[in-house]
Amino acid sequence: MKFIGLLLFLAGIVSLLLEFTGANLVVLNWLDQFGETGSLAIRIGVTLLGGIIYYLRRHDD
């Protein structure tokens, strides 16, 4: 679970950085159909979810 949380967190961070620079991956184009606010909310939500999962499971080996 720790790995999944870290993966979600890093994917969210990369997605947010790309959004703010104006670039976008082809894989993430589907987020644009929710509008600017919806897209940003999904990206932030994935980042927070990944951070929470990683934090709660950080001692799992």
Side-chain angles (χ1 to χ4, degrees):
M1 253 342 230
K2 182 171 111 172
F3 177 74
I4 294 172
L6 184 62
L7 185 68
L8 282 173
F9 180 74
L10 292 177
I13 292 293
V14 168
S15 175
L16 284 170
L17 290 175
L18 288 174
E19 175 73 21
F20 290 133
T21 60
N24 204 0
L25 295 174
V26 174
V27 176
L28 298 176
N29 280 339
W30 65 273
L31 288 172
D32 293 336
Q33 72 181 355
F34 297 107
E36 187 176 332
T37 306
S39 168
L40 190 60
I42 292 170
R43 293 170 200 259
I44 291 172
V46 167
T47 305
L48 288 175
L49 179 66
I52 289 169
I53 291 172
Y54 181 78
Y55 179 76
L56 291 176
R57 300 294 182 179
R58 68 187 181 276
H59 297 297
D60 290 351
D61 287 330

